[in-house]
Amino acid sequence: MNAYQSRVNIDRIEKDLYELSKFGFNPDDKGIYRQGLTPIDMEARQWVKQQFEAAGMEASLDGVGNVCGRYVPKPELEDVPAVLIASHLDSVPAGGMFDGTLGVMAGLECIRLIQENNITVNRPIEIIGTSEEEGRFGGMLGAQALSGNLTLEWLNTAKDPAGEYLKDALEQCGFSPQEALHARRDPADIRAFLELHIEQGPVLEMNNKPVGVVDGISGVFKWLIKLVGKPDHAGTAPMNMRSDAFMGVADFAHELSRIIDEEGSEYTRLTIGRVELKPGFAHTIPGEAHFTLVGRDMDNEVMHQVSMSCQKVLGAIARKHNLKFEYDQLSWIPPRHFSDDLVDTVEKNAQELALDYMRMPSGAGHDCQFFADLVPTALIFVKSVGGISHAPDEWSHWDDVQKGCDLLYKTLLDLCNE
Ligand SMILES: [Zn+2]
């Protein structure tokens, strides 16, 4: 095997990412605060638009704030299906400087390389910095808009946790729900959708691989569960005469690993991320517990088995503690499997570049998942140090970033010159 030789300019990518990280940087905790559809997010988008233009692309913002840079090598290729490279530009509160932004800046670097090396490409290429991926309003707004996964009803009713309406946030940024619907792209105009993203987990590091070739994204279901017992005096009510809702939550939490052992797979994850007790007073037995359960797996059937087992176990626990139990399924997103052809191409390129890689699924959702059923889609991961993400300590080594970018670039050229 030949030794790895890089074609990308990693110094330029590093400089771009540092520049971009200044938008929303908080010196106190060193985190980035660039939530979707906020003034600082829009400033960052204007900056990215300028970088796209400086690299010779025609750039614009669509109806939800996706920044789109389009490179058409020759006018007669205008209508040929394009390759899209996209990831997001918004961050979680106190986020890191690689999440999402890496994929956008890597795409920009590809265009610069094509231009300065006079590389022939036979398709248009579009680099997109998507809008509001981190779920401030409960979805992945930008990618949903591009893939036609939006309804006017949702656009008009979605709210963020602070109670601000999506439609108002859109309007404050100069958009509207109606325009948001117009951001949809016709899949017939897209040859392939590529995304480069940090792993945000520990698997690549554990396996000592710089890059991952992702073949699918876990499905995810979200429940809101209520256990209802009886609030009572914490001093006078004997332990054996209580209907303590928290005890139900505690018992259920202990059962999760057994449920996974019996019904799940190596990719199953079950998480209780939020618990609210009522009345929530130190000297009162909690009469109600409201909590979330998020389940994930790579197989829809396994997700069903696991969710049925959760129901059964909750029923038994409710009986044991004399509680009533109800649950609301807030969402159910089936797993997405990427098209074998394109994943194989990425894998072949990793081998040709002499990169140490592994094929793997993604446990987290990404923009590309909305395209997986529409067009050939691929996702490349770069190793995250310590698996840390959504935190100021998020980091990837530049030589790993470089390898991921090279893999993206080679795959793009394959798609443009097939
Ligand atoms: Zn991300």
Side-chain angles (χ1 to χ4, degrees), residues 88 99-100 133-134 197 200 366:
H88 59 99
D99 181 2
E133 187 268 359
E134 295 290 5
H197 202 282
Q200 303 181 285
H366 294 289

Side-chain angles (χ1 to χ4, degrees), residues 195-257:
E195 183 168 6
L196 175 74
H197 202 282
I198 51 166
E199 184 204 346
Q200 303 181 285
V203 175
L204 288 173
E205 187 171 77
M206 218 166 61
N207 290 280
N208 202 19
K209 307 280 184 200
V211 293
V213 176
V214 181
D215 48 20
I217 293 189
S218 282
V220 48
F221 66 87
K222 183 174 174 185
W223 286 3
L224 182 63
I225 301 167
K226 281 184 201 170
L227 290 173
V228 181
K230 195 160 60 77
D232 218 333
H233 194 291
T236 57
M239 293 307 283
N240 62 353
M241 291 176 67
R242 298 179 173 200
S243 301
D244 184 334
F246 176 71
M247 288 300 168
V249 183
D251 274 9
F252 181 60
H254 268 290
E255 291 293 319
L256 296 182
S257 55

Side-chain angles (χ1 to χ4, degrees), residues 36-37 132 135-139 154 158-161 164-167 169:
L37 300 176
E132 218 292 270
R136 178 182 166 200
F137 295 97
W154 183 76
K159 280 191 274 192
D160 74 2
E164 182 171 358
Y165 278 98
L166 168 57
K167 63 174 169 33

Side-chain angles (χ1 to χ4, degrees), residues 338-346 376:
F338 298 147
S339 52
D340 287 338
D341 280 1
L342 189 52
V343 178
D344 289 346
T345 300
V346 178

